[in-house]
Amino acid sequence: MQKADGKSLAGMSLEELTSLALEGGQPAYRGQQIFDAIYRQRVASLTEVSTLPREYRGGLTEQGWEMGWPSVERKFVSVDGTVRYLVGLADGESVETVWMPEGDGGESGDGSEAGEEDGGAFLSDASGAAGRGIAPSPHSSVPLPASMPLPVVAGWRRATICVSSQVGCAVNCKFCFTALLGVKRNLEAGEIVGQIAAVLRDQRVAPPLQRVNIVFMGMGEPFLNYENFMKAVRLLVEGVGIPESRMTVSTAGIVPRIYDFGREEVRPKLAISLNGSNDELRSEVMPLNRKWNIGELMQAAREFPLRARERLTFEYVLLAGVNDAAEHAREVAELVRGMRAKVNLIALNPGSELPYATPEQGRVEEFQRILIAAGIPTFVRRPRGRDIFAACGQLKKTVEIAPAGQEI
């Protein structure tokens, strides 16, 4: 990541930092010291890297090297404890990153440790659907009205950070606020990791001692910024100390990259944004489907190599009167049948600039019941941070928020 007034160390790998040290006449282990200072300690400046000789630190500074972390420009806090950060980049652009204490239930049932923690919060319901993927929970398995955000929960056992991969987004999903921004550019690996570092510093959290999950579901399509996204993943695993089993990436369906992703030795879990049960419907709400249709997408999903106990996740945003009918649920069941997969249902998070509405609670429950009856584990992601425009699909750098939200 090149800063406007210097060269950024954030985003460099151990190999790159070792080469930098050797080029400066330093022993190779200086590279490891810088690497640890950047990612483990997440120091703000070179002057804080006490393990390096003062002369070497001074030399790096004279050469224009800086840590190069993004900065928090604005911060909005929801009544449910969610925090939306507006993160400033060196060129004046900005992206959004979201902190969710206790997450939003998105990892439930995905076969990972994070999913087990999430699923542990889910209770059985009166219909006896416990253990089959139905999601009634003390955190609300069905969408709450926007006027009824969840109360703040004192303390947390684990948290989720939702991270952006691009400034804006080029995919143009019709139900997503971010699509209204268009796309400006890809983020560098250091800018992706930098969002997480900024949130960890602000929240005073230090993984792996504290459980933090990462979801690449913020602004942008990660698979359209594949190399920088994957480099960021490796830096998070090797440097920050967050295992890939605690990361999930969501794609709108960039089919060639799904195959590439399946060949990676170190990779997060995969979620595919489906949102339509047939080609006509999916093309209407996700124009990308005209390039890679449902048949091609589902073929890539069926061929994706899953780890032991891992499940593929399909995300499905429910739009009132558009894709939330019983017939659509039955079509989704046929698409997913026979796969080691789960479905996350997301009732549309509302916004006046979108031509869609949030479905009634009964429609969401019926959709879920049909999928579960077909043997497909199905969960309803609970909305987080609606009052500060931090919920799924709401990220568009909104600075005027509802009275319930609070800016710090």
Side-chain angles (χ1 to χ4, degrees), residues 9 16 137 147 149 191 214 240-241 290 297 319 342 360 384 388 391:
L9 295 168
E16 291 167 332
S137 84
S147 61
E191 293 172 320
I214 304 296
V240 180
R290 300 188 185 106
L297 177 62
L319 313 172
K342 51 163 282 199
E360 295 294 328
R384 299 299 307 270
I388 57 167

Coordinates of all heavy atoms in Angstrom, one line a residue, residues 9 16 137 147 149 191 214 240-241 290 297 319 342 360 384 388 391:
L9 N 4.6 0.0 5.4 CA 5.0 -1.3 5.8 C 3.8 -2.3 6.0 O 3.9 -3.5 5.8 CB 5.8 -1.2 7.1 CG 7.1 -0.5 7.1 CD1 7.6 -0.2 8.5 CD2 8.1 -1.3 6.3
E16 N 8.9 -10.2 2.3 CA 9.2 -8.8 1.8 C 9.9 -8.0 2.9 O 10.8 -7.3 2.6 CB 7.9 -8.2 1.4 CG 7.2 -8.8 0.2 CD 5.8 -8.3 -0.1 OE1 5.1 -8.0 0.9 OE2 5.4 -8.3 -1.3
S137 N -33.7 -18.2 18.5 CA -32.7 -18.0 19.5 C -33.0 -16.8 20.4 O -33.9 -16.0 20.1 CB -31.4 -17.7 18.7 OG -31.3 -16.3 18.4
S147 N -37.5 -0.4 14.0 CA -37.7 0.5 15.2 C -37.5 -0.3 16.5 O -37.6 0.3 17.5 CB -39.1 1.0 15.2 OG -40.0 -0.1 15.2
P149 N -34.5 -2.3 17.7 CA -33.2 -2.9 17.7 C -32.9 -3.7 19.0 O -33.6 -3.5 20.0 CB -32.2 -1.7 17.7 CG -33.0 -0.6 18.2 CD -34.4 -0.8 17.8
E191 N -4.6 -2.3 3.4 CA -5.8 -1.5 3.8 C -6.9 -2.4 4.3 O -7.7 -2.0 5.1 CB -6.3 -0.7 2.5 CG -5.3 0.4 2.1 CD -5.7 1.0 0.8 OE1 -6.1 0.3 -0.1 OE2 -5.5 2.2 0.7
I214 N -13.8 -13.1 11.4 CA -13.7 -12.1 10.3 C -14.7 -12.5 9.2 O -14.6 -13.7 8.8 CB -12.3 -12.0 9.8 CG1 -11.3 -11.6 10.9 CG2 -12.2 -10.9 8.7 CD1 -11.5 -10.3 11.6
V240 N -1.5 -11.6 12.5 CA -2.4 -11.1 13.5 C -2.8 -12.3 14.5 O -3.1 -12.1 15.6 CB -3.7 -10.5 12.9 CG1 -4.7 -10.0 14.0 CG2 -3.3 -9.3 12.0
G241 N -2.8 -13.5 13.9 CA -3.1 -14.7 14.7 C -4.6 -15.1 14.7 O -5.1 -15.7 15.7
R290 N -26.2 -12.8 -15.3 CA -26.2 -12.9 -16.8 C -24.8 -13.3 -17.3 O -24.7 -13.8 -18.4 CB -26.6 -11.6 -17.4 CG -28.0 -11.1 -17.0 CD -28.5 -9.9 -17.7 NE -29.7 -9.4 -17.2 CZ -29.9 -8.3 -16.5 NH1 -28.9 -7.6 -16.2 NH2 -31.1 -8.0 -16.1
L297 N -22.9 -21.5 -11.5 CA -22.6 -21.2 -10.1 C -22.8 -22.5 -9.2 O -21.9 -22.8 -8.4 CB -23.5 -20.1 -9.6 CG -23.4 -19.7 -8.1 CD1 -22.0 -19.2 -7.9 CD2 -24.4 -18.7 -7.7
L319 N -36.7 -10.5 -0.2 CA -37.3 -9.3 -0.6 C -38.8 -9.5 -0.7 O -39.3 -10.4 -1.5 CB -36.7 -8.8 -2.0 CG -35.2 -8.9 -2.2 CD1 -34.8 -8.6 -3.6 CD2 -34.5 -7.9 -1.2
K342 N -25.5 -25.2 4.0 CA -26.5 -24.6 4.8 C -27.0 -23.3 4.1 O -26.3 -22.8 3.2 CB -26.0 -24.3 6.2 CG -24.7 -23.5 6.2 CD -24.3 -22.8 7.5 CE -25.2 -21.5 7.7 NZ -24.6 -20.6 8.7
E360 N -42.7 -9.8 5.7 CA -43.3 -10.0 7.0 C -42.6 -11.2 7.7 O -42.1 -12.1 7.0 CB -44.8 -10.3 6.8 CG -45.6 -9.1 6.3 CD -45.7 -8.0 7.3 OE1 -45.6 -8.2 8.5 OE2 -45.7 -6.8 6.8
R384 N -28.1 -6.6 12.8 CA -27.3 -5.9 13.8 C -27.0 -4.5 13.2 O -26.6 -4.3 12.1 CB -25.9 -6.6 14.0 CG -26.0 -8.0 14.5 CD -26.7 -8.0 15.9 NE -26.0 -7.1 16.9 CZ -25.0 -7.5 17.7 NH1 -24.6 -8.7 17.6 NH2 -24.5 -6.6 18.5
I388 N -27.9 2.4 12.8 CA -26.7 3.2 12.4 C -26.3 2.8 11.0 O -25.2 3.1 10.6 CB -25.5 3.0 13.4 CG1 -25.1 1.6 13.5 CG2 -25.9 3.7 14.7 CD1 -23.8 1.3 14.2
A391 N -26.1 -2.7 9.1 CA -26.6 -4.0 8.9 C -26.2 -4.5 7.5 O -25.8 -3.7 6.6 CB -28.1 -4.1 9.1

